[in-house]
Amino acid sequence: MTIDPLSVNRRNWDARAGIHAASSFYRDHESGFWFAPFEWEALGEVRDRDVLHLQCHLGTETIEFARRGARAVGLDFSAESVRHARELAGETVEYVCADVYDAREALPGREFDIVYTGKGALCYLPDLDRWARVIADLLRPGGLLYLAEFHPLLHALGPTPPPGVDPEQLVLHDDYLEGRGAQRRDSVHTYTDGPDLTSDTTAYEWRHGLGEVVNALLGAGLRITGLTETDTLPWPRWPHMVQTEDGWWRLPASAPIVPVLYGLSAIKP
């Protein structure tokens, strides 16, 4: 029997959605917490602008766009995620349930000033060239794509070193570059607090190096206007990370300074 990784992932995210919606990971933070300051420097004023948030999950960032006066739309392929997102946002945000590759058909004839993609999205997409073409079609001329994503180096560094290795050592554990196809993960634990998954524990991920992301966007006709790499995360990936004044986390001063998150902006000419 042929396995469809995207269908497997959809069921996995449906199973996660209720756990995430009830978790303190999401409920203990205001929607603005999830944005690094450099994101707003690139996004600028969003009031009265049409903003589309792709792969929005519970819509936490989508809500922040609405709070800042944007006409915000969130899109996600998980029906359960969209259901919880609507409950959390009320009438302030429009949500659409569709795969990101089908976004043009799900939003017929609509164009946006900003397309935003948040953290932890690209690893669930097998084809970035196709993704970039969808974004180019959804943007108005002069419109902005803003991508805030976990750095591929973060994915390559294992969360905990193997036995016998200093727990504060950063150890390469996984691929940085694309090329091996879908990587199967099977875990009852999601990234939030709360109960374990009791079903649909399998998910598939794809690795995408920074060069692949940039070339996909250039190939779709977008013009890269900025790239920011940072050493901070909104949650502690490693137990020895220290909290910053704004509540995010970075490795201690004794550790190497490495990028764990990046922000990329591109314009549709």
Side-chain angles (χ1 to χ4, degrees):
M1 183 179 66
T2 302
I3 295 173
D4 177 10
L6 295 182
S7 294
V8 172
N9 285 353
R10 184 180 295 110
R11 293 193 296 271
N12 177 255
W13 282 98
D14 280 344
R16 294 185 192 205
I19 295 171
H20 289 184
S23 70
S24 61
F25 183 89
Y26 281 109
R27 289 193 171 272
D28 288 356
H29 295 107
E30 292 292 325
S31 56
F33 169 81
W34 301 103
F35 289 85
F38 62 77
E39 295 187 57
W40 293 114
E41 294 171 11
L43 287 162
E45 176 61 63
V46 299
R47 180 171 297 279
D48 296 326
R49 307 195 77 191
D50 294 307
V51 177
L52 173 62
H53 179 191
L54 295 177
Q55 296 172 272
C56 68
H57 189 36
L58 299 180
T60 48
E61 293 100 325
T62 330
I63 290 171
E64 183 61 21
F65 283 117
R67 286 180 175 173
R68 291 176 179 243
R71 294 181 291 271
V73 179
L75 180 142
D76 198 89
F77 74 162
S78 162
E80 280 298 296
S81 293
V82 168
R83 183 175 70 82
H84 285 287
R86 287 171 176 156
E87 290 178 356
L88 291 169
E91 300 296 322
T92 62
V93 178
E94 175 189 354
Y95 288 104
V96 176
C97 185
D99 189 281
V100 66
Y101 292 131
D102 299 325
R104 289 171 295 191
E105 292 75 20
L107 298 161
R110 297 176 67 175
E111 293 181 326
F112 295 86
D113 300 302
I114 298 171
V115 173
Y116 179 84
T117 295
K119 304 150 190 78
L122 293 191
C123 65
Y124 294 103
L125 299 180
D127 187 342
L128 289 195
D129 290 334
R130 184 181 174 192
W131 163 81
R133 291 193 298 270
V134 169
I135 289 170
D137 285 347
L138 289 167
L139 283 171
R140 293 189 174 108
L144 170 72
L145 162 72
Y146 195 79
L147 168 66
E149 185 55 278
F150 299 126
H151 201 284
L153 181 59
L154 179 72
H155 288 302
L157 293 169
T160 54
V165 176
D166 182 346
E168 295 190 4
Q169 286 287 338
L170 301 179
V171 178
L172 284 173
H173 178 268
D174 207 341
D175 296 335
Y176 177 110
L177 296 175
E178 65 282 359
R180 295 186 197 267
Q183 300 183 11
R184 183 178 183 272
R185 310 290 185 194
D186 196 333
S187 175
V188 299
H189 179 66
T190 79
Y191 56 82
T192 70
D193 54 286
D196 290 339
L197 293 173
T198 58
S199 65
D200 297 302
T201 58
T202 299
Y204 290 89
E205 297 181 11
W206 290 263
R207 292 289 168 256
H208 302 295
L210 206 53
E212 184 189 6
V213 177
V214 168
N215 287 330
L217 296 171
L218 292 174
L222 300 183
R223 178 169 59 87
I224 308 296
T225 57
L227 175 63
T228 301
E229 297 176 294
T230 182
D231 63 342
T232 59
L233 289 171
W235 43 263
R237 170 66 180 270
W238 296 282
H240 60 296
M241 294 185 89
V242 295
Q243 200 160 19
T244 65
E245 290 184 0
D246 59 5
W248 281 34
W249 300 80
R250 63 161 43 96
L251 288 165
S254 58
I257 301 175
V258 296
V260 292
L261 184 77
Y262 71 95
L264 186 152
S265 55
I267 297 291
K268 179 177 178 177

